[in-house]
């Protein structure tokens, strides 16, 4: 990476020795690094102000706005990493899928993908399709100093769920009907999504991301046998394709207690854990050679400070023997979370773990 003298490469070099990237690489850290999933673009008043009147997808395509929203939680909370402000469906929109992000609902796809003919609508993603991402990351690498920037994408299963259902779903019934009913079409769909996701992650790494996270938020809906057979190959394809690019790869899903072993096998360097499994037990399930990320229940932040600190202590104690630990929530920041509670939590973890 040190040979890369582009502005993005310079920033990646500056961030290389950050606590966050050291923890991802399972090296000794000056303190346990902290960032929060969905730290950007939730309830911060400064976020709501800059987003006023601008639809979500449009805001993802405005580089100055993206850079500002990405930086807001770094300034306010002093987190150890920034996460690029976007959404998992942005690359699908960029290749021409007719979708929108509806306020209070989430991503909605006009014509769901359920047949072989529908699959043909998922064309390759090129860097030109997402030039605003490259531009926004260029602004960010100029502003972030030594703070690492995390790029991200949706994992093939979670993207397939939105495409096949046509929107958010509790039971993923159409998705599972396709997975069990037409295994070949399903495999081809996930393979296509793996290629799009890989192309999107490569754009971000090239533009300055120092780490990438694959969000497989809804994969906990699957039994391990089905995950191994029908999903793992596509996720592994993504991780393999971005291996050796010099940035840690993080893998995250919700409700994955029974899947932590197979998730580890998909190939990430860091495995995200929700709050249902303590980190020491999660480490046993994931196996050696991985750092873990997590795992405070986001709802705990609604309790008094002393209770938040007690739950945080439990997590830090369970993490004491890990090869590497990145402190995070077990899922995204809830929209009505008190911003000051997040700032206090960052300070608490830093102080308690200072070495
Ligand atoms: O982390 C950050 O702060 C960066 C911003 C970010 C990220 C990482 C957004 C902005 N979306 C995401 C990822 C994302 N999007 C995931 C994976 C993370 C997770 O599990 O929370 C998922 C599942 C989505 C899909 C999505 N987009 C939903 C969930 C719908 C459902 O199925 O229940 C929703 C509500 C959105 C919209 C969205 N994404 C982001 C924002 C700020 C918003 C709100 C949109 C608005 O203001 O109208």
């Amino acid at each position: 990476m040190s040979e890369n003298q582009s502005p993005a490469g310079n920033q990646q070099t500056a961030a290389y020795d950050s606590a966050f990237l050291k923890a991802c690489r399972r090296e000794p850290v000056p303190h346990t690094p902290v960032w929060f999933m969905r730290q950007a673009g939730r309830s911060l008043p400064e976020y709501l102000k800059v987003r006023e009147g601008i639809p979500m997808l449009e805001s993802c395509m405005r580089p100055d706005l993206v850079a500002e929203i990405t930086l807001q939680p770094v300034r306010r909370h002093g987190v150890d990493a920034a996460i690029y402000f976007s959404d998992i469906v942005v690359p699908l929109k960029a290749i021409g899928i007719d979708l929108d992000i509806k306020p209070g609902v989430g991503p909605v796809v006009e014509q769901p993908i359920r047949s072989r003919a529908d699959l043909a609508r998922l064309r390759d993603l090129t860097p030109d399709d997402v030039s605003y991402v490259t531009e926004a990351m260029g602004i960010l690498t100029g502003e972030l100093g030594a703070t690492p920037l995390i790029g991200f994408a949706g994992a093939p299963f979670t993207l397939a769920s939105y495409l096949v259902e046509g929107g958010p779903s509790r039971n993923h019934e159409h998705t599972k009907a396709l997975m069990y009913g037409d295994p070949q079409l399903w495999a081809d769909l996930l393979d296509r999504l793996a290629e799009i996701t890989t192309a999107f992650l490569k754009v971000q790494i090239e533009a300055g991301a120092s780490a990438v996270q694959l969000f497989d938020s809804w994969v906990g809906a699957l039994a391990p046998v089905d995950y191994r057979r029908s999903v793992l190959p596509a996720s592994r394809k993504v991780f393999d394709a971005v291996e050796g690019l010099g940035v840690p790869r993080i893998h995250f899903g919700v409700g994955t207690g029974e899947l932590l072993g197979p998730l580890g096998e998909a190939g990430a360097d860091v495995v995200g854990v929700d709050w249902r499994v303590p980190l020491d037990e999660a480490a046993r399930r994931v196996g050696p050679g991985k750092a873990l990320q997590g795992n405070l229940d986001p709802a705990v932040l609604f309790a008094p400070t002393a209770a938040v600190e007690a739950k945080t202590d439990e997590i830090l104690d369970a993490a004491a023997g890990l090869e590497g630990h990145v402190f995070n929530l077990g899922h995204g920041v809830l929209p009505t979370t008190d911003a000051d509670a997040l700032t206090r939590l960052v300070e608490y973890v830093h102080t308690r773990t200072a070495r």
Side-chain angles (χ1 to χ4, degrees):
M1 219 154 45
S2 55
E3 286 157 32
N4 181 348
Q5 289 309 311
S6 65
N10 287 339
Q11 203 271 336
Q12 284 162 325
T13 303
Y16 188 82
D17 286 323
S18 62
F20 168 71
L21 290 175
K22 283 184 167 170
C24 292
R25 295 193 300 264
R26 294 174 284 122
E27 295 170 7
V29 287
H31 60 262
T32 298
V34 189
W35 71 281
F36 301 119
M37 289 183 281
R38 310 298 301 270
Q39 66 190 18
R42 274 266 150 126
S43 55
L44 294 184
E46 58 268 37
Y47 165 72
L48 297 173
K49 186 153 177 273
V50 296
R51 270 288 314 280
E52 224 167 87
I54 308 172
M56 176 63 191
L57 276 174
E58 193 187 320
S59 66
C60 293
M61 294 171 198
R62 288 172 53 167
D64 53 340
L65 199 53
V66 168
E68 168 59 22
I69 296 170
T70 301
L71 290 167
Q72 285 174 347
V74 179
R75 288 188 203 117
R76 187 191 260 261
H77 305 306
V79 281
D80 292 270
I83 178 153
Y84 182 80
F85 176 76
S86 181
D87 190 82
I88 57 169
V89 297
V90 162
L92 302 176
K93 179 78 182 176
I95 60 165
I97 298 296
D98 190 5
L99 63 82
D100 196 8
I101 296 182
K102 298 232 154 74
V105 180
V108 176
V109 181
E110 197 60 45
Q111 293 174 292
I113 295 214
R114 294 183 187 164
S115 69
R116 176 105 3 223
D118 293 336
L119 186 58
R121 285 156 44 208
L122 291 171
R123 68 160 173 84
D124 286 339
L125 178 112
T126 69
D128 285 345
D129 293 320
V130 286
S131 55
Y132 46 86
V133 174
T134 302
E135 198 182 322
M137 285 202 163
I139 301 171
L140 281 164
T141 53
E143 302 260 335
L144 276 166
T147 303
L149 175 61
I150 303 170
F152 74 89
F157 175 80
T158 291
L159 291 179
S161 162
Y162 286 106
L163 288 172
V164 176
E165 301 296 334
S169 163
R170 179 182 290 266
N171 298 314
H172 310 281
E173 49 268 63
H174 296 290
T175 312
K176 289 183 178 179
L178 181 64
M179 185 176 97
Y180 294 120
D182 192 342
Q184 191 54 56
L185 176 57
W186 172 259
D188 292 347
L189 170 62
L190 261 69
D191 192 69
R192 199 79 273 282
L193 292 169
E195 283 169 0
I196 292 163
T197 287
T198 298
F200 190 53
L201 290 177
K202 283 184 171 169
V203 168
Q204 295 177 67
I205 295 167
E206 182 74 16
S210 283
V212 288
Q213 176 156 322
L214 199 63
F215 280 98
D216 212 348
S217 302
W218 311 138
V219 78
L222 297 178
V225 64
D226 293 317
Y227 177 78
R228 268 209 173 84
R229 182 166 42 216
S230 307
V231 174
L232 192 149
S235 295
R236 179 182 279 148
K237 181 170 172 160
V238 176
F239 286 122
D240 284 353
V242 296
E243 187 178 12
L245 298 182
V247 306
R249 302 156 297 164
I250 311 171
H251 197 175
F252 171 77
V254 183
T256 55
E258 299 302 323
L259 294 179
L260 287 169
L263 281 182
E265 289 165 32
D269 305 291
V270 184
V271 175
V273 182
D274 79 13
W275 60 92
R276 294 171 180 88
V277 182
L279 290 177
D280 47 356
E281 172 58 21
R284 278 188 283 279
R285 295 184 191 186
V286 169
K290 312 257 179 211
L292 297 186
Q293 176 171 280
N295 67 343
L296 184 74
D297 182 345
V300 167
L301 285 159
F302 291 75
T305 304
V308 176
E309 293 180 355
K311 291 304 288 179
T312 302
D313 286 344
E314 273 176 32
I315 290 164
L316 295 174
D317 289 346
L322 299 186
E323 296 182 48
H325 178 216
V326 175
F327 191 95
N328 205 316
L329 305 179
H331 197 187
V333 173
L334 295 167
T336 55
T337 305
D338 173 17
D340 293 336
L342 290 169
T343 308
R344 281 196 300 271
L345 178 55
V346 175
E347 275 168 20
Y348 186 73
V349 173
H350 284 172
T351 308
R352 229 215 77 171
T353 61
R355 307 192 236 278

